[in-house]
Amino acid sequence: MTVVHLPKSAVLSSYARHLMTKQQEKEAKGARGFGSDDSSKTAKSTVASVEDSSSVKAGQDITIPQLEDYCDDFTADIKNKLATLTLSHETYSEALDNREVYLKHPPVFSHKLEIDAPITNQKNSGRCWIFAGLNMLRQHMMKEYNLDELELSQPFVFFHDKLEKSNWFLENILKTLDEDLDGRVVQYLLTSPVQDGGQWDMFVALVEKYGVVPKEAYPKTVHTSSSGQMDWLITTKLREYAKEIRTEHANGKSIDELRKMKDRMLREIHKVISVSLGQPPKTIDWSFYSKDKKFHEFRNVTPLEFYKNHVKQDCTKFVSLINDPRNEYMKKYTVDYLGNVYGAESVHYINLSVQRLKDYAIRVLKSGRPVWFGCDVGKFLSRSHGMMDTEVIDYKSAFDFGFGMTKAERLQYGDSLMTHAMVLTGVHIEDGKTIRWRIENSWGASTGNKGYLTMTDRWFDEFVYQIVLEKSDLPKEVLDVLDQEAVVLPPWDPMGALAK
């Protein structure tokens, strides 16, 4: 038998690390990070005393003795060799897959929508917010017209979003002509003028202005499914236009003259989008067979008529609810410079506790309706099992630590924000306690459970930031918040992040 003798420094360092994983600071409201254990009150002082006993002096730079001490500490624990052998050949999500989590949460739900619509696929684009919006709207249509399947055209909304975002950008360049080019606001505007992402209110602005069409009336192209090249071309031209506008302003041109320049610029952008995606239809014919084999046809319908007469969902009657624990609840918020359609209703939210978001969402699901929501999808996600849970990837077993930041702290320190939009289609409740949620995603049927994901309730607490509900689903005290003057957050605030 081989006996491994641990050097004293390794034992002390290992013990200190053990105590640190036990001790997680509580935020002001009493919440603490996940993946951590209860701790003793003296853990911090004990760790400090252990670190003080080390022969290696900590300074500004990393010294060679300091690095050797790290290496000794690492090699002293035989478990690290096994972890290295495993993780050098597998991703974290594969090697640290926590079997207990997905066995505990099978894709079975006590409350589920009656209709399972075909799963959609946004492919290599950031259009999830459009997919989620249209997937939510089609549920009502499928019921009314007795359909087995229906997909609304995401490229139709995408086309108009690109053009509107280009105009939004150029108008904001005109708005900031006298601000320093190197200032934070102008540089923020120049960062990503027409990225694919968006938010609910931006979706509403587009469908209210341009309407909706079925997928067959305006199908996908290479550049809707993989938008990177088109986005690069438009972005490069928009930055060039911004430079031209600011230069001509400095040369004394009036705002009217600059807007004439903008019209020429938008004409060129429209050409890029039209060549890449094709021009959208002005009228459509919609024909289909219902589940009872009956033929239906509607001819010469405009996209707006299709939206108002066939989709029959007034998106202006929905409101965005967010959970932002950094800021005061029961307040109305907006984000400066956030939007896509000039002249449309501004983006705004009501900030509520996460429990309220869950309670309201459950009521809507029980009534048989879907819920659009936004979250930080990349955190603790097992794609292969379609599972979102704070322990589905067992980092602690591999690295001997948990995660100590609260939801508010992750927002404050840039570790989390809304990155993806999907649709809630079910919830599982046991003995009055919410256990897990069913999610319709837009990554195709090959991911998760035939395209659907399962989200545990504790994951909802940590990484869901926004849900969208009809105003009629909310109590008066919440709706009254809409009458408040909105608190304006800066453009770079995480609440202004675009779902992709």
Side-chain angles (χ1 to χ4, degrees), residues 2-143:
T2 301
V3 178
V4 179
H5 296 280
L6 302 182
K8 183 178 179 181
S9 62
V11 174
L12 289 173
S13 181
S14 179
Y15 179 60
R17 187 171 62 247
H18 169 72
L19 288 176
M20 290 179 73
T21 60
K22 292 285 229 176
Q23 172 68 23
Q24 301 294 343
E25 292 186 22
K26 296 182 179 180
E27 74 168 334
K29 294 181 181 178
R32 62 187 177 90
F34 53 85
S36 58
D37 303 317
D38 291 334
S39 57
S40 68
K41 295 180 180 180
T42 58
K44 278 189 174 181
S45 59
T46 306
V47 170
S49 64
V50 170
E51 289 176 345
D52 289 344
S53 67
S54 173
S55 59
V56 178
K57 185 177 180 180
Q60 287 184 316
D61 60 332
I62 298 176
T63 65
I64 298 302
Q66 188 178 357
L67 180 58
E68 289 176 348
D69 190 53
Y70 295 166
C71 292
D72 288 343
D73 182 31
F74 181 82
T75 56
D77 190 343
I78 194 66
K79 188 181 75 172
N80 288 334
K81 184 174 182 179
L82 177 61
T84 302
L85 290 172
T86 303
L87 291 174
S88 60
H89 298 287
E90 300 280 354
T91 64
Y92 292 162
S93 60
E94 292 169 338
L96 306 179
D97 183 41
N98 190 343
R99 188 167 180 263
E100 293 180 3
V101 171
Y102 56 83
L103 289 179
K104 184 179 178 181
H105 295 285
V108 179
F109 303 87
S110 57
H111 304 276
K112 185 175 80 71
L113 298 189
E114 180 183 345
I115 294 175
D116 274 347
I119 288 294
T120 54
N121 194 341
Q122 66 186 82
K123 297 193 175 180
N124 296 320
S125 71
R127 299 173 292 156
C128 68
W129 58 291
I130 297 174
F131 276 73
L134 295 177
N135 288 345
M136 189 187 81
L137 293 182
R138 69 176 172 171
Q139 282 274 340
H140 176 76
M141 292 184 68
M142 291 178 73
K143 284 183 181 179

Side-chain angles (χ1 to χ4, degrees), residues 18 94 138 354 386 393 409 462 481:
H18 169 72
E94 292 169 338
R138 69 176 172 171
V354 72
I393 303 173
E409 291 163 347
E462 300 293 341
V481 176

Side-chain angles (χ1 to χ4, degrees), residues 255-375:
I255 192 68
D256 289 338
E257 291 174 310
L258 295 176
R259 280 219 165 86
K260 287 181 181 179
M261 291 171 55
K262 188 192 81 165
D263 180 67
R264 182 256 303 168
M265 296 166 180
L266 287 175
R267 193 178 301 273
E268 292 179 351
I269 295 299
H270 178 268
K271 183 176 182 179
V272 172
I273 305 170
S274 295
V275 168
S276 303
L277 307 185
Q279 291 207 61
K282 295 180 180 178
T283 62
I284 65 165
D285 297 331
W286 184 40
S287 57
F288 59 91
Y289 288 99
S290 54
K291 286 193 286 187
D292 56 9
K293 308 301 181 184
K294 290 183 179 179
F295 178 74
H296 304 265
E297 185 176 36
F298 301 92
R299 300 184 62 80
N300 200 32
V301 180
T302 69
L304 271 173
E305 288 171 344
F306 185 83
Y307 169 60
K308 294 182 183 301
N309 300 332
H310 297 288
V311 176
K312 295 181 182 178
Q313 291 258 71
D314 185 352
C315 289
T316 63
K317 293 183 178 179
F318 287 76
V319 62
S320 290
L321 309 177
I322 60 170
N323 175 237
D324 178 4
R326 302 169 306 160
N327 291 308
E328 188 178 352
Y329 293 150
M330 295 296 287
K331 292 288 185 181
K332 181 180 175 181
Y333 293 88
T334 189
V335 179
D336 208 8
Y337 293 98
L338 178 62
N340 58 346
V341 178
Y342 245 86
E345 183 78 17
S346 63
V347 175
H348 58 268
Y349 328 96
I350 299 174
N351 192 24
L352 301 173
S353 69
V354 72
Q355 189 58 53
R356 279 205 179 204
L357 264 62
K358 292 192 292 187
D359 290 344
Y360 297 149
I362 288 171
R363 290 179 199 171
V364 172
L365 290 171
K366 284 183 175 181
S367 74
R369 290 171 291 144
V371 177
W372 189 104
F373 80 105
C375 65

Side-chain angles (χ1 to χ4, degrees), residues 231-250:
D231 286 351
W232 167 82
L233 180 57
I234 296 173
T235 296
T236 296
K237 291 303 295 181
L238 286 176
R239 289 170 179 156
E240 182 180 301
Y241 298 153
K243 179 255 181 189
E244 186 179 346
I245 287 172
R246 289 179 65 92
T247 299
E248 292 305 316
H249 170 67

